[in-house]
Every structure is written in C-alpha cells, then in structure tokens.
Amino acid sequence: MKLVVLGLSLSSSWGNGHATTYRALLRAFAARGHEVTFLERDVPWYANHRDLAEPDFCQLALYRDLEELKTHWRGEVERADAAIVGSYVPDGVEVGRWVQATAKGVAAFYDIDTPVTLAKLAAGDHEYLTPELIPGYDVYLSFTGGPTLTELERRYGSPAARALYCSVDDDAYRPVAVQRRWDLSYLGTYSPDRQPTLERLLIEPARRAPHLRFCVAGPQYPADIDWPANVERLEHVGPADHPAFYAASRFTLNVTRADMIAAGWSPSVRLFEAGACAAPIISDVWEGLDTLFTPGREIVLAESPEQVLAALSMGEAQRDGQAEAARRRILDGHTAAHRAAELETHLAAATTKQPAEGAFA
C-alpha cells in the first residue's frame, strides 16, 4: 500500500519522542513491502538538530507552510491508500481538515500524546485537533489504550479508536557492553509535570545517597534546578547512543507525564527502549503497566525515595534476571515489527471511504 504520514518530525529527535517512534514504526512498515512518504514542517528548532536527514526506508519531504503543503503534496495525499496526521503537527487542525477533504483512501489520526490531547480538548485548547475533526478520521490510532479508547468513540464520535502503542526497533536497541558510570539514570526532555516525580525518584535519592552516581539526560531543563553534586547532566543523547546510555547505568528510571498517569495504559517509548536494551527499569506507577510488565519480575515499581534506594541495593543476579525477563517481554510483543503489523490491520479495517486504486485488501 501507499502511506503518507504528516507528522511532527522524522528528521530530528531533538526535544521530542515522536521521531524515534516514527522511525521504528515506518521502517518496519516499509519492510512489509509498503511505500511510505513522510511530510514534515520545516522549522528552525529541528533544522538545527537533524540526525536523520535522508532515511533509507521512506521518502522524507519538508514543507515551509500550509500553502506549500497543499500545492505540492495534494496529489500524493489523493493517491495514498492511507494518510495519517500525527499529534502536535503545526497547524494540525487545518492540516487535518485538508487531509480529510483530500484523501481518497483512509484518513487516520495518530495520537502520540493521547492523554495530553484529551486534556487540551477538555480545556478548549484546539492546538492540533478539535472535537469536530475526530469523527472525520476513519481511525484514531492512540498511544493510550484501556478506557480512553471507549471515551474517544462514545464521547467524541470516533468511528474506530484503536491502541497503537509505541514500540522499539530491536535491531537498533539491544544490549551493549560498556563501562558502568551511574547507579541510576533518566533520559527525557524536561517537562514541568514530570519534574516532581523526577525530584522524588531520582534527585532526592541522590541527596540521600551521595556515594551513588546518577545522571539526567535531555534538553530544556531550567537553570535554577538544584542538582546534587552526584547527578551528572547531559544536554542531549541521540538515538544512536541510547543503548550505550542505558548500558552505562545499573538501573534506568521511567517517569510518566501526569496526564498519562491519570489515563493509565500509556507506556512511553523509553520504557520499551530500555527493556530491549536489557536495562533494569525502575518506574513510577500507573494503571495498565502491569499488563505490559510483571512487577517484581520484569520491572521495579517505586513511589518513594525509599523504594528507589531499596531497588538500588538489589543484588546483581536479581537485577540482571529482571532485565533479561523484561527484554524477552519486549521482543515477544512490543517491537516495531509487531506495531507495523498492527498498523496494517487497523488501516485495512478502516475502509469507510472508497479505497484508492490498488488499495490493500
């Protein structure tokens, strides 16, 4: 099939998790024999930090504004068997209206931020999606599963809300042998609603255990944060260096945004990446996590500094056994190949419009 994706960014992983998600998913989708075009708004903050300018699994095209998108890429969207608009796309509401009016195949919305999106809609914030647009998408692909899917269908009128969790490219994310530098690390862009959890589960343990070593990697952290002396800061770690980053720490921390904790069933891409790299994981707690990992056997759940420090005292054999069990769980059901097959199934089922010529069955 021919797929067109209009997403936040494929070319730059700087300050966003969308790029690694799209890269893994679309690489695996193309490997199933499909043709993929990715259309990305050319903005300076990604232009200055591009780490995949020429992907080998799809056509990547940049457009300057809505006029250029509509003028140069109308035919591509019209001919596609499916066109997907992603969350946080600049001018996403106008892009969505245009795709729904233009696409002759399936029109889909891929929400990599579902709980944030729904919180925005509840507050009347229509940055990239409006309630009126949702019924016009033949399928709503959601990073969040569970009860949220029912809400999208019953409250917002989605014809088909389907979970499409993030995943991991298991060819790129695998265990590597590097020297251990830290006892606990965290990889993530600064977010005000994640910071209290980071304070509780990493910064406070660092204060209480000055003999241990910690690391926080990611951009946009305010200059006034009081980092303990045993917390190393890295401004950015590119995707190619993620496996070595995870391997350099005895444990890695997973921190979930507040809206995603409230919704539950919202695993982050970092969770799957770390698991695929056989990095022992300590995570905050939210509903649905126990359907992805078995607590105490594949992951450690923590709500307090004391629980984090107790986990950091875990013996090597137990820690490594947990990490290997998590890796097996990821490889059995959460790789990019698994998600690509799910995407194919969801798009094939969303045939409420007349399929484009040569569309899949």
Side-chain angles (χ1 to χ4, degrees):
M1 63 174 294
K2 180 177 179 59
L3 173 66
V4 174
V5 180
L6 301 93
L8 176 64
S9 180
L10 184 75
S11 70
S12 173
S13 63
W14 186 84
N16 78 89
H18 289 225
T20 50
T21 292
Y22 281 127
R23 291 172 191 181
L25 177 65
L26 298 180
R27 183 185 297 277
F29 196 73
R32 295 179 67 85
H34 303 304
E35 177 186 345
V36 181
T37 298
F38 193 97
L39 304 179
E40 175 180 337
R41 183 77 163 260
D42 191 4
V43 294
W45 48 92
Y46 292 146
N48 294 332
H49 298 90
R50 290 209 168 102
D51 47 13
L52 187 67
E54 297 181 1
D56 59 4
F57 53 88
C58 74
Q59 177 188 12
L60 169 63
L62 304 174
Y63 61 93
R64 291 170 297 179
D65 50 34
L66 284 171
E67 182 180 356
E68 182 177 339
L69 173 67
K70 295 177 180 180
T71 301
H72 291 174
W73 298 102
R74 176 179 297 276
E76 196 82 1
V77 172
E78 285 179 340
R79 291 188 295 271
D81 299 306
I84 297 176
V85 178
S87 53
Y88 272 102
V89 167
D91 296 312
V93 171
E94 184 62 27
V95 170
R97 289 176 180 145
W98 176 70
V99 166
Q100 290 182 9
T102 304
K104 292 182 169 57
V106 171
F109 186 73
Y110 187 19
D111 201 340
I112 298 178
D113 310 274
T114 308
V116 177
T117 301
L118 294 184
K120 281 176 168 288
L121 293 181
D125 181 346
H126 301 158
E127 180 182 0
Y128 51 83
L129 185 69
T130 66
E132 294 74 23
L133 273 178
I134 294 176
Y137 285 116
D138 301 311
V139 59
Y140 193 119
L141 304 167
S142 170
F143 247 40
T144 298
T148 295
L149 301 178
T150 302
E151 180 182 4
L152 285 166
E153 292 183 348
R154 293 183 179 176
R155 180 176 178 181
Y156 290 101
S158 169
R162 301 291 182 261
L164 190 68
Y165 290 139
C166 52
S167 63
V168 63
D169 180 348
D170 55 311
D171 287 330
Y173 288 83
R174 55 179 60 244
V176 296
V178 301
Q179 184 176 359
R180 289 268 166 80
R181 297 171 54 185
W182 310 296
D183 294 285
L184 179 64
S185 64
Y186 171 69
L187 176 61
T189 301
Y190 172 78
S191 174
D193 65 338
R194 275 196 297 246
Q195 193 62 20
T197 303
L198 187 64
E199 290 272 353
R200 187 173 69 254
L201 300 185
L202 189 146
I203 295 176
E204 181 58 27
R207 291 193 183 104
R208 297 187 188 184
H211 62 289
L212 298 179
R213 295 167 299 168
F214 300 79
C215 181
V216 174
Q220 301 179 18
Y221 284 84
D224 60 357
I225 294 178
D226 182 17
W227 299 105
N230 57 338
V231 177
E232 183 177 348
R233 274 285 294 127
L234 300 176
E235 182 65 20
H236 179 65
V237 178
D241 297 321
H242 285 180
F245 177 83
Y246 290 127
S249 187
R250 292 176 55 244
F251 284 88
T252 193
L253 179 65
N254 177 69
V255 178
T256 309
R257 294 191 64 173
D259 288 330
M260 295 183 175
I261 290 176
W265 309 85
S266 301
S268 72
V269 66
R270 303 289 180 244
L271 197 60
F272 292 144
E273 289 177 357
C277 292
I281 303 167
I282 300 173
S283 177
D284 54 5
V285 182
W286 38 270
E287 188 175 0
L289 178 55
D290 58 355
T291 67
L292 302 168
F293 294 96
T294 302
R297 187 167 69 86
E298 298 165 337
I299 196 168
V300 173
L301 303 185
E303 298 181 282
S304 68
E306 292 82 6
Q307 290 174 322
V308 171
L309 290 171
L312 294 182
S313 68
M314 184 184 298
E316 183 177 352
Q318 182 182 358
R319 185 188 72 236
D320 292 348
Q322 173 189 301
E324 185 53 40
R327 175 169 162 77
R328 288 196 299 269
R329 188 71 175 266
I330 295 300
L331 297 182
D332 285 346
H334 299 291
T335 68
H338 290 102
R339 292 294 179 270
E342 292 169 15
L343 174 60
E344 189 178 271
T345 297
H346 295 325
L347 294 179
T351 53
T352 58
K353 291 186 178 182
Q354 181 66 34
E357 184 177 353
F360 51 97

